[in-house]
Amino acid sequence: MVQHRLERFAEWVGREHIDFAFLSDPKNVFYFTGFKCDPHERLLGLFIIPGKTPFLVCPNMEVTRAEEAGWTSEIIGYDDDQNPWHLIQKALAGRGISRKVTVAIETETLSFAKAEQLRALFDDVRFVSSEEAILAQRLIKGPDELEHLKKAAELADFAINIGKNAIKKGKTELALVAEIEYEVKKRGAEGMSFATTVLTGPKSALPHGTPNDRQIREGDFVLFDLGVVVNGYCSDITRTFVYKHASKEQEAIYEAVRKANEAAIQSAKPGVRIGDVDLAARQVIQDAGFGDYFTHRVGHGLGLDIHEAPSMNSQNTALLKAGMVFTIEPGIYLPEVGGVRIEDDVYLDETGPLVLTSFPKELQIIE
Ligand code: GLY
Ligand code: MN
């Protein structure tokens, strides 16, 4: 599977008359090699050269893991006191690449410093972007990727249940975060997709608020936004509860968000304009009178990265395709009152949406 991905990408490199592609984003390296590595500031590099054997560059201390991950082509390891760029120059020259080159790089993530180090190896370098070609491959998920995403979504459902059962008067947001993360890691999660978010009371009106020592009070919204990583693949779920008693206003915004979430999911089919999925949710929220308080797009693509293509925004004219995976997460945020967001992960198959997260969505008042 990984080999097939690499071959497809190498074909693109050759077709575009690019001398080689240099990939160093750990997510892309994992996608094309099966080797998961966080090198911190050190260099991790995958060099793909049309018609020649690719090679991987990583710290020497990671070489065994790269081999164990199934990488059978050349590995150039380097020590912390060595300059890997000289080794790279030699390996490329051995493949007939020197002086004047066209190189495909990850324009979104490659640091300027590393691009300059690469440039210094040659007399004349033209950089082109590999982003679109990689995006086109990562956009459509294969059966193995779907399995990982399903498991990540199952664990996200489990995590929400832990959070729900832990809601108690006086408990802080950070205590809830700690309880959730402890339980999901005990159950096999390799990590969280992003910093677990628990927001209570008026703080739930901040779509990306930060949990702190605020304690739960009666009448609070309690919003959980979290995700779990399984085999490198992320889930992302949001559920919002009310503690003890809900006001009419809280019930109204909850129902509007729940209906918006369902409308957007139902609208998602292959061939539908992506922007129309956003608009399906937005229309429900506008009709309920809260249009000014839905302040972000309806969702984002999901995979090795927690946010990846496609962007589910109202202006996206691209069409949905089978194999895409994305979130649907409308929200209403009333300043000083609180906010509600309901988020699911959706895989699109030929017939329509398959919702991977399954935690119930009707309003739950926690006693
Ligand atoms: N879960 C955070 C976000 O989707 O923005
Ligand atoms: Mn999300």
Side-chain angles (χ1 to χ4, degrees):
M1 186 62 79
V2 166
Q3 183 61 24
H4 174 72
R5 290 176 191 162
L6 193 60
E7 282 163 14
R8 194 174 142 198
F9 183 66
E11 277 166 24
W12 172 81
V13 178
R15 225 175 20 252
E16 296 294 316
H17 306 292
I18 293 164
D19 293 295
F20 67 94
F22 164 52
L23 305 186
S24 70
D25 179 332
K27 301 285 171 58
N28 286 336
V29 172
F30 176 58
Y31 184 76
F32 288 114
T33 67
F35 172 46
K36 195 183 296 167
C37 177
D38 177 358
H40 303 290
E41 85 292 359
R42 297 181 181 97
L43 182 74
L44 172 71
L46 174 62
F47 291 79
I48 299 156
I49 309 119
K52 303 273 166 66
T53 50
F55 64 93
L56 189 61
V57 179
C58 66
N60 261 329
M61 63 180 175
E62 302 283 17
V63 167
T64 307
R65 287 201 318 110
E67 287 166 348
E68 283 172 0
W71 180 254
T72 53
S73 197
E74 186 181 0
I75 303 176
I76 297 175
Y78 63 92
D79 291 326
D80 283 340
D81 54 5
Q82 261 186 312
N83 179 343
W85 293 102
H86 294 317
L87 304 174
I88 291 166
Q89 189 172 36
K90 216 168 127 206
L92 288 170
R95 287 164 173 80
I97 294 170
S98 60
R99 304 180 78 96
K100 187 168 190 272
V101 292
T102 299
V103 185
I105 56 168
E106 296 149 312
T107 44
E108 292 284 344
T109 53
L110 182 65
S111 73
F112 183 70
K114 287 198 172 74
E116 287 299 295
Q117 282 168 308
L118 181 62
R119 187 194 293 284
L121 304 183
F122 305 98
D123 297 338
D124 185 351
V125 177
R126 185 171 75 95
F127 285 132
V128 295
S129 176
S130 58
E131 294 294 345
E132 269 193 42
I134 295 173
L135 183 153
Q137 284 195 238
R138 281 181 49 179
L139 185 63
I140 304 299
K141 272 66 180 178
D144 55 327
E145 295 181 286
L146 178 58
E147 281 315 302
H148 302 324
L149 287 158
K150 277 183 177 169
K151 287 193 184 124
E154 259 172 46
L155 266 180
D157 285 332
F158 168 79
I160 292 287
N161 201 45
I162 296 291
K164 177 191 138 181
N165 290 334
I167 293 173
K168 209 171 140 204
K169 189 170 182 172
K171 199 172 277 189
T172 69
E173 294 168 345
L174 282 170
L176 286 170
V177 170
E179 287 179 49
I180 291 167
E181 295 196 354
Y182 176 71
E183 292 298 334
V184 293
K185 284 181 184 168
K186 266 206 310 192
R187 207 170 166 111
E190 62 196 57
M192 308 307 291
S193 310
F194 55 93
T196 301
T197 304
V198 178
L199 299 168
T200 60
K203 284 182 68 190
S204 56
L206 303 167
H208 279 174
T210 307
N212 63 14
D213 59 0
R214 186 184 184 280
Q215 295 176 317
I216 297 175
R217 298 172 205 164
E218 290 189 14
D220 274 355
F221 276 130
V222 183
L223 182 152
F224 297 93
D225 184 354
L226 57 90
V228 174
V229 184
V230 172
N231 290 320
Y233 286 82
C234 298
S235 54
D236 192 2
I237 188 170
T238 307
R239 289 293 185 269
T240 311
F241 302 91
V242 182
Y243 182 56
K244 291 284 187 195
H245 48 81
S247 68
K248 289 279 167 248
E249 189 177 40
Q250 284 174 315
E251 285 175 4
I253 67 172
Y254 192 95
E255 265 316 280
V257 173
R258 193 183 61 74
K259 286 184 180 147
N261 166 286
E262 291 294 351
I265 290 172
Q266 291 317 314
S267 75
K269 304 214 166 44
V272 166
R273 197 179 150 277
I274 289 175
D276 288 345
V277 178
D278 177 281
L279 293 172
R282 208 161 292 281
Q283 189 65 54
V284 172
I285 289 176
Q286 259 163 22
D287 291 348
F290 298 109
D292 289 344
Y293 303 101
F294 175 20
T295 49
H296 54 73
R297 63 187 173 184
V298 81
H300 53 85
L302 189 67
L304 291 173
D305 278 306
I306 179 65
H307 280 208
E308 56 180 57
S311 173
M312 306 293 289
N313 73 75
S314 65
Q315 300 304 307
N316 190 341
T317 55
L319 305 183
L320 285 174
K321 285 191 193 144
M324 287 181 175
V325 175
F326 47 85
T327 67
I328 294 292
E329 50 178 305
I332 295 175
Y333 310 96
L334 298 184
E336 286 158 38
V337 174
V340 174
R341 182 166 60 256
I342 301 176
E343 175 178 29
D344 287 309
D345 301 343
V346 175
Y347 169 80
L348 202 66
D349 75 13
E350 301 292 346
T351 56
L354 172 69
V355 185
L356 306 181
T357 38
S358 60
F359 196 91
K361 291 188 266 195
E362 63 277 4
L363 178 60
Q364 295 191 48
I365 297 170
I366 308 300
E367 287 303 328

